[in-house]
Amino acid sequence: MPMPMPMRPGRRAVLLGGIGGLAAAVVGGCGGGSGPAPSPAPTLRAPTPIPGIRDGVFSLGVASGDPLPDGVILWTRLAPEPMAGGGMPRRDVEVDWQVARDEKFADVVRAGTQLATTSFAHSVHVDVRGLEPGRDYYYRFRAGDVLSPVGRTRTAAAPGSPGGELSFALASCQDFQNGYWPAFDAIAGDRPDLVLHVGDYIYEYDPDSRYPDRRHTTPEKPGLDQLQTLADYRNRYGQYKSDPALQAAHHVAPWVVAWDDHEAENNYAGLVDESGDTGPRHQDPQVFARQRAAAYQAYYEHMPIRAELDPGSPDLRIYRRLTFGDLLTLNVMDTRQYRTPQPGSPPDGIGAVRLGDDNTAGTMSGTAQEAWLVDGLRTSRSRWNVIAQQTMAAQLHGQLPGSEVLTNLDQNDGYVPYRTRLLSAVRDTRVANPVLLAGDIHCAWVNDLRVDFDRPETPVIATEFVCTSISSGFFLVSEDFVRENNARLNPHVRYFRGDLRGYTRVTVTPDEWRADMRVVETIAKRDAPASTDATWVVEAGRPGAQDA
């Protein structure tokens, strides 16, 4: 998808980014039959100080994302005062960028200049193309005479490339106020090929933390426990992205991101704000549309995502498909923007199972996205096929003493006919080795997936891996309650762990999917060791996970 007009490279960026190729064409055209001369390395203009640009302008670090075989998105934002509006002069600023094969930038392959505009909070998105598939690159930015940190990125394998290996981290749910993020330090130490973040990158709540240095920024209207304005969201992203552990994880690998609810408001559905909101917290769809527009713009401004933003619009398409050679196709879903409200509109999302069973008109993806997904499954020739979404697909039932059977209606259990269609498509398209990924629930799961979970005798059609949270707290009744209910009501659950925070580390080869359930010792301090609690394996051609 093309970049929005205010963010497109100007003529200077195009000239600088392509100077090597232009020189090669000129030299080759004038040669005496000896073939084209080697292209000179792309060069940048001389560094020139810019008034108002000072050390600390790259306080939010750098990032890359959405890797293609020949390209990647590079991101940064100029913000010396990231939690106070950014602190930048009220004018656009030219930002230089470089991509090299080595960390010392002795072998530069692409370079250019991009305009960081005030309208997009001085963020920069560079869609670099012309890179080689399946290899590491290093990149950096320069504003005036100030250099950014160096980031590592990696392109996807070329179409038709057989075999190989892909490593990635699956992460979600990083409530800044709930604790520190040693899990991101562990991800940085892994140096994966990719980080897949499936939502809740920020939280919208008012300042309230037992850690004095983890209190949220104060919104323009405190007391609502919500962010509402573009300035609110920008300052909150500035706070989260100032964290050194998060920056370290961005600096080592490209990210593929998708939002869930907290990037806008807890448990929202389409243009319906949180169920149970009353008084000044409640917004009608027209008012909430303005809040969602602010939330989506701030998300775009702070993510290394290939998307086209129309400022002021409450819509932004982020569902997309990425391929990694013949090894893996990644379908990235958006199950917030297009979903219908939770059936029964329960204030806390919890309600009777029958409400989800009877939700025949409900959808989590919308008609267009559902058709897009099914078409992608039908036509895929990849060895592994991944559906990355925000909430757990597997049935999760629970029963308190004396109550009817309950479920979380904000998950797929609230949209059972929709889930049945999705899993039927996985089965009926015969797509190879399907795997579903999710987050949201703040605990780790490995689930066998069936079209009808009430018929455990039917075949397993896919495996689901749900990562625990980076820092957000476990909110189910208790570990023992969940385990007892899983044994009685959810026999398709192969693994569950809710008391520790962390991420899931995945390694994929043509023959095997290996998932390490990674946990950190504590989130009460910045430095804490990470370990593997369990490892689960899916063999190609054999649906269902096996305990390694």
Side-chain angles (χ1 to χ4, degrees):
M1 289 175 284
M3 299 298 296
M5 288 302 295
M7 300 300 295
R8 293 185 195 276
R11 184 170 181 270
R12 177 190 293 273
V14 174
L15 288 174
L16 287 173
I19 192 171
L22 177 62
V26 172
V27 173
C30 299
S34 59
S39 301
T43 57
L44 290 177
R45 56 188 179 163
T48 304
I50 299 175
I53 303 300
R54 58 191 189 277
D55 288 345
V57 73
F58 292 106
S59 66
L60 303 183
V62 299
S64 66
D66 283 0
L68 302 175
D70 69 337
V72 70
I73 296 290
L74 304 182
W75 172 92
T76 194
R77 179 190 168 199
L78 309 182
E81 299 174 18
M83 289 172 275
M88 284 291 293
R90 292 292 301 171
R91 63 177 184 276
D92 299 344
V93 176
E94 288 187 330
V95 177
D96 304 318
W97 55 269
Q98 288 180 308
V99 178
R101 293 189 178 94
D102 66 304
E103 201 166 0
K104 294 183 178 179
F105 290 81
D107 187 8
V108 174
V109 296
R110 289 290 182 273
T113 299
Q114 189 85 315
L115 197 63
T117 65
T118 58
S119 58
F120 286 106
H122 293 97
S123 62
V124 174
H125 296 75
V126 182
D127 195 347
V128 181
R129 298 299 179 96
L131 303 178
E132 299 172 24
R135 66 159 297 148
D136 290 353
Y137 287 95
Y138 297 87
Y139 64 96
R140 63 185 178 186
F141 297 89
R142 187 181 66 197
D145 57 357
V146 181
L147 278 174
S148 75
V150 173
R152 166 189 174 258
T153 192
R154 184 172 178 83
T155 51
S161 299
E165 178 179 298
L166 180 71
S167 66
F168 67 90
L170 173 66
S172 74
C173 302
Q174 54 211 49
D175 187 344
F176 189 86
Q177 297 194 131
N178 203 52
Y180 300 100
W181 295 339
F184 278 134
D185 281 325
I187 290 173
D190 291 341
R191 291 177 66 85
D193 299 326
L194 184 75
V195 176
L196 174 61
H197 196 288
V198 291
D200 294 345
Y201 192 97
I202 65 166
Y203 280 72
E204 77 276 28
Y205 300 134
D206 280 352
D208 181 17
S209 176
R210 63 192 180 103
Y211 305 103
D213 61 340
R214 304 296 280 188
R215 289 176 58 83
H216 272 161
T217 54
T218 302
E220 292 185 11
K221 293 182 179 180
L224 299 178
D225 230 19
Q226 296 176 355
L227 305 175
Q228 293 188 328
T229 69
L230 183 55
D232 284 343
Y233 286 106
R234 283 172 170 171
N235 289 340
R236 189 63 54 85
Y237 276 104
Q239 180 177 44
Y240 275 57
K241 294 186 77 72
S242 296
D243 185 273
L246 177 57
Q247 289 191 19
H250 272 295
H251 289 177
V252 300
W255 284 43
V256 174
V257 298
W259 54 48
D260 193 16
D261 52 343
H262 289 287
E263 288 88 352
E265 185 175 322
N266 181 52
N267 282 5
Y268 82 93
L271 287 175
V272 177
D273 71 349
E274 183 175 1
S275 297
D277 277 1
T278 58
R281 287 174 56 90
H282 174 69
Q283 302 173 76
D284 63 34
Q286 184 177 11
V287 175
F288 185 69
R290 293 196 291 270
Q291 178 182 318
R292 200 176 84 171
Y296 285 7
Q297 177 164 340
Y299 185 87
Y300 169 80
E301 290 171 349
H302 292 86
M303 294 294 117
I305 188 170
R306 186 178 287 106
E308 185 173 358
L309 178 72
D310 179 11
S313 169
D315 306 318
L316 176 62
R317 174 174 166 167
I318 66 165
Y319 66 87
R320 59 209 187 276
R321 184 175 293 120
L322 300 168
T323 58
F324 300 84
D326 286 349
L327 180 66
L328 186 144
T329 291
L330 174 60
N331 299 281
V332 183
M333 301 289 286
D334 172 5
T335 60
R336 280 292 163 190
Q337 182 174 185
Y338 312 104
R339 73 157 64 185
T340 53
Q342 297 87 353
S345 301
D348 56 3
I350 305 301
V353 163
R354 56 182 168 76
L355 294 174
D357 291 343
D358 296 340
N359 189 13
T360 56
T363 178
M364 298 187 78
S365 68
T367 302
Q369 184 180 188
E370 184 177 337
W372 167 87
L373 175 63
V374 174
D375 183 64
L377 297 176
R378 184 181 298 113
T379 58
S380 174
R381 298 296 178 264
S382 292
R383 181 71 165 171
W384 296 90
N385 289 274
V386 179
I387 300 173
Q389 54 185 5
Q390 287 63 60
T391 60
M392 184 189 295
Q395 180 172 290
L396 181 59
H397 289 175
Q399 188 172 29
L400 295 165
S403 79
E404 62 181 318
V405 179
L406 303 172
T407 193
N408 182 356
L409 297 169
D410 190 58
Q411 295 184 170
N412 282 255
D413 278 329
Y415 304 79
V416 172
Y418 161 80
R419 177 177 65 194
T420 300
R421 291 197 308 273
L422 187 150
L423 294 180
S424 296
V426 170
R427 177 196 61 195
D428 297 343
T429 59
R430 299 182 182 273
V431 67
N433 300 309
V435 175
L436 276 69
L437 303 176
D440 174 69
I441 197 169
H442 306 177
C443 35
W445 305 73
V446 179
N447 304 312
D448 288 338
L449 298 181
R450 295 178 170 86
V451 172
D452 187 347
F453 289 96
D454 293 328
R455 298 177 60 199
E457 73 278 7
T458 56
V460 175
I461 63 163
T463 301
E464 179 177 49
F465 295 92
V466 182
C467 61
T468 189
S469 62
I470 294 293
S471 63
S472 303
F474 179 68
F475 59 83
L476 302 178
V477 176
S478 71
E479 284 261 331
D480 290 342
F481 171 81
V482 175
R483 293 184 188 280
E484 186 273 330
N485 276 271
N486 285 345
R488 190 162 54 88
L489 301 172
N490 307 306
H492 48 274
V493 173
R494 306 297 307 282
Y495 169 88
F496 158 76
R497 183 79 190 252
D499 61 328
L500 293 175
R501 316 277 60 83
Y503 63 104
T504 300
R505 182 173 64 192
V506 177
T507 305
V508 187
T509 68
D511 298 324
E512 180 183 85
W513 176 293
R514 178 172 291 263
D516 298 323
M517 317 309 285
R518 301 279 288 167
V519 295
V520 295
E521 185 177 89
T522 180
I523 59 170
K525 55 183 181 181
R526 291 185 180 275
D527 299 318
S531 61
T532 299
D533 184 62
T535 298
W536 289 82
V537 171
V538 180
E539 298 176 8
R542 183 184 177 189
Q546 309 300 319
D547 187 352

